Amino acid sequence: MSSAMALSSSLMRLGASRLSSMMGLARVASSSSMSNSSSSMSSSFSSSSAASLVTTSLGDAPITIELPRPYDTHLCEPPSTTVTTTPAEIEKFFKTTYLMRRMEIACDVLYKGKFIRGFCHLYDGQEAIIVGIEAALTWNDSIVTSYRDHCTHLGRGGNVKEVIAELLGKAPGCSKGNGGSMHMYRKETNFYGGNGIVGAQVPLGAGLAFGHKYRNDNCVAITMYGDGAANQGQIFEAMNMAALWDLPCIFVCENNHYGMGTAEWRSAKSPEYYKRGDYIPGIKIDGMDCLSVKQGFAFAKEFALKNGPIIVEADTYRYHGHSMSDPGSTYRTRDEISGVRQERDPVDRMRKLLIDVVGTSPDQIKAWEKELRKEVDDAVEFAKNAPLPPDAQLYENIYVDGKGIEARGVEISNVNVLG
Ligand SMILES: Cc1ncc(C[n+]2csc(CCOP(=O)(O)OP(=O)(O)O)c2C)c(N)n1
Ligand SMILES: [Mg+2]
């Protein structure tokens, strides 16, 4: 097979076959003079979600866009592929995905410079999923995810300084420097981590959904897992209970098509993850498109509140290797990676919408990019200069009330020899 043929067959497997001229397919149905949209109409983003990580300057005149890729569904009717958005929302999506991308690239550099130690799993390529989810949900809805969690923290209102300081094990990190890469956490906006054990967060998410149902608070729980984790038994146990009790749970399979170095076709009898809940309805969305994700999750939330659990499969791709010890190019070709980058990149897609649909100038976009890169650079400097946690912190978070002891019976004087 020629390399061009191999690339095209790889892309077809990766769901790009129907994305013909994906970037060019967005259709403006009603755009009232988009070129005026950068007026002072609004500097705040009107969304169901809470405060934004980025500020916006464009207007909020509604734009209607036709998604290039339809939704596939299992046991439910698909949502419309006509999405309503605004210039400010597209600006927000662009800026947030760009900031996340730059943060992950900074983490790569910090890891290679040995400032970050231990495990580190990057999210670049997958940013549109978390950005689209947060556009459709509120922070009263709960979210729990795997170890690939840096951008989830930003989506839940955390900032780049807290993430990078955590990665460096520093005191101002979001988990006080105790956790590192896999253990972001933000209870105040219902983000329950960052979990290092593959699949372990999925039953936790079902439990969070139980909590919402019990409190009758009209919220859902999002529980995220990968295509590799999707084959685990505990996923099906959690789904069974969620379905049995009609829990408002959205099971989200982030299908980046690999579990470490294993391609999905080598590990899954059926890679149609949105159908794998059997009796649980499912929907497959384009996880590289913020607008597709937003619309898909607005649908999923409404569905889950009314009917009980639903599976959302987000078709996506990770650009980096599985973790920093994986170059990411031994089990997939460089052409496959660059093909996805060229045809489906979530940041480029929003940049193109800004230019083609909203009428934003490339110079304006470059100026925004410069500001966002500076924000990341400043966060890196902040984290490098930040203090380590105090030694006494080693003894915290063992018992709720501390019990007045400093260590868990490790001193010889504490050993009670029987017999
Ligand atoms: C129970 C358990 N088994 C194995 C591992 C090692 N491991 C870490 S990530 C991973 C692959 C998971 O792939 P996937 O679910 O597709 O998520 P992705 O990394 O692609 O986001 C494995 C096997 C682990 N952390 N926990
Ligand atoms: Mg995977």
Side-chain angles (χ1 to χ4, degrees), residues 15-28 64-72 79-83 284-293 295 343-345 349-350 352-353 357:
S17 57
R18 282 170 295 157
L19 306 186
S20 52
S21 65
M22 166 166 312
M23 300 305 204
L25 275 177
R27 173 170 65 79
V28 184
T64 310
I65 289 180
E66 190 61 29
L67 297 175
R69 182 169 161 183
Y71 295 102
D72 296 319
S80 166
T81 49
T82 306
V83 183
K284 182 173 178 179
I285 64 177
D286 183 353
M288 308 287 274
D289 180 354
C290 295
L291 290 171
S292 170
V293 178
Q295 182 102 323
E343 291 199 34
R344 303 182 60 202
D345 185 73
R349 187 176 306 205
M350 290 303 116
K352 185 142 177 53
L353 277 182
V357 177

Side-chain angles (χ1 to χ4, degrees), residues 147-148 226-228 254-260 318:
Y147 40 81
R148 211 174 287 288
D227 48 296
E254 294 191 272
N255 183 7
N256 59 19
H257 303 275
Y258 295 92
M260 299 183 93
R318 71 165 148 73

Side-chain angles (χ1 to χ4, degrees), residues 1-30:
M1 206 191 297
S2 72
S3 64
M5 275 170 68
L7 171 60
S8 110
S9 78
S10 294
L11 290 175
M12 277 172 69
R13 262 195 295 111
L14 293 166
S17 57
R18 282 170 295 157
L19 306 186
S20 52
S21 65
M22 166 166 312
M23 300 305 204
L25 275 177
R27 173 170 65 79
V28 184
S30 73

Side-chain angles (χ1 to χ4, degrees), residues 80-399:
S80 166
T81 49
T82 306
V83 183
T84 304
T85 181
T86 64
E89 184 174 62
I90 298 172
E91 178 188 356
K92 180 184 175 181
F93 289 169
F94 170 73
K95 286 181 172 176
T96 316
T97 51
Y98 185 82
L99 184 68
M100 290 173 173
R101 177 70 53 86
R102 297 305 309 186
M103 180 179 78
E104 294 299 65
I105 290 170
C107 291
D108 176 89
V109 174
L110 286 165
Y111 197 94
K112 287 173 179 153
K114 295 191 166 45
F115 290 96
I116 298 173
R117 303 288 186 145
F119 288 107
C120 183
H121 309 84
L122 302 180
Y123 200 65
D124 49 328
Q126 304 186 203
E127 302 94 338
I129 301 176
I130 211 66
V131 171
I133 286 178
E134 296 297 357
L137 270 59
T138 77
W139 288 341
N140 292 325
D141 299 303
S142 305
I143 190 163
V144 63
T145 191
S146 71
Y147 40 81
R148 211 174 287 288
D149 62 350
H150 306 167
C151 297
T152 319
H153 189 76
L154 298 191
R156 282 278 138 167
N159 61 42
V160 183
K161 284 181 179 164
E162 291 163 0
V163 173
I164 298 190
E166 187 58 41
L167 284 157
L168 268 61
K170 298 293 184 74
C174 60
S175 300
K176 298 183 189 169
N178 283 333
S181 172
M182 303 195 288
H183 301 289
M184 304 293 150
Y185 200 85
R186 203 163 193 273
K187 170 78 177 67
E188 59 267 42
T189 50
N190 291 302
F191 170 34
Y192 294 93
N195 289 268
I197 303 300
V198 169
Q201 70 280 4
V202 180
L204 295 180
L208 290 166
F210 180 84
H212 288 302
K213 178 147 185 148
Y214 189 77
R215 292 190 298 273
N216 196 20
D217 61 9
N218 217 31
C219 291
V220 297
I222 301 274
T223 185
M224 306 179 77
Y225 56 99
D227 48 296
N231 302 312
Q232 279 191 345
Q234 65 179 325
I235 311 290
F236 298 96
E237 294 177 46
M239 285 179 179
N240 174 58
M241 290 174 87
L244 195 60
W245 295 336
D246 299 329
L247 302 183
C249 190
I250 306 181
F251 292 92
V252 184
C253 178
E254 294 191 272
N255 183 7
N256 59 19
H257 303 275
Y258 295 92
M260 299 183 93
T262 305
E264 62 181 356
W265 62 267
R266 294 179 62 205
S267 60
K269 176 68 182 169
S270 164
E272 292 186 306
Y273 299 98
Y274 67 107
K275 294 185 181 170
R276 300 259 307 255
D278 184 8
Y279 41 81
I280 297 184
I283 174 172
K284 182 173 178 179
I285 64 177
D286 183 353
M288 308 287 274
D289 180 354
C290 295
L291 290 171
S292 170
V293 178
K294 178 185 89 153
Q295 182 102 323
F297 273 86
F299 165 83
K301 178 172 176 177
E302 201 183 328
F303 186 95
L305 286 173
K306 211 161 133 201
N307 307 295
I310 182 167
I311 297 176
V312 178
E313 177 186 346
D315 179 9
T316 187
Y317 200 79
R318 71 165 148 73
Y319 292 160
H320 266 89
H322 165 73
S323 65
M324 297 310 297
S325 55
D326 167 21
S329 51
T330 50
Y331 48 86
R332 54 186 192 173
T333 63
R334 288 188 192 281
D335 284 350
E336 178 181 299
I337 305 166
S338 62
V340 176
R341 277 183 186 276
Q342 273 166 27
E343 291 199 34
R344 303 182 60 202
D345 185 73
V347 184
D348 284 351
R349 187 176 306 205
M350 290 303 116
R351 187 188 284 110
K352 185 142 177 53
L353 277 182
L354 279 171
I355 293 171
D356 293 352
V357 177
V358 178
T360 311
S361 73
D363 283 349
Q364 171 66 82
I365 294 175
K366 280 195 191 117
W368 288 338
E369 289 176 353
K370 198 172 158 196
E371 275 170 33
L372 294 164
R373 283 200 303 273
K374 182 169 180 329
E375 185 175 337
V376 173
D377 290 347
D378 289 351
V380 168
E381 276 317 297
F382 168 83
K384 281 182 178 171
N385 295 323
L388 288 166
D391 289 350
Q393 194 171 298
L394 285 169
Y395 304 106
E396 292 173 0
N397 301 115
I398 298 166
Y399 298 107

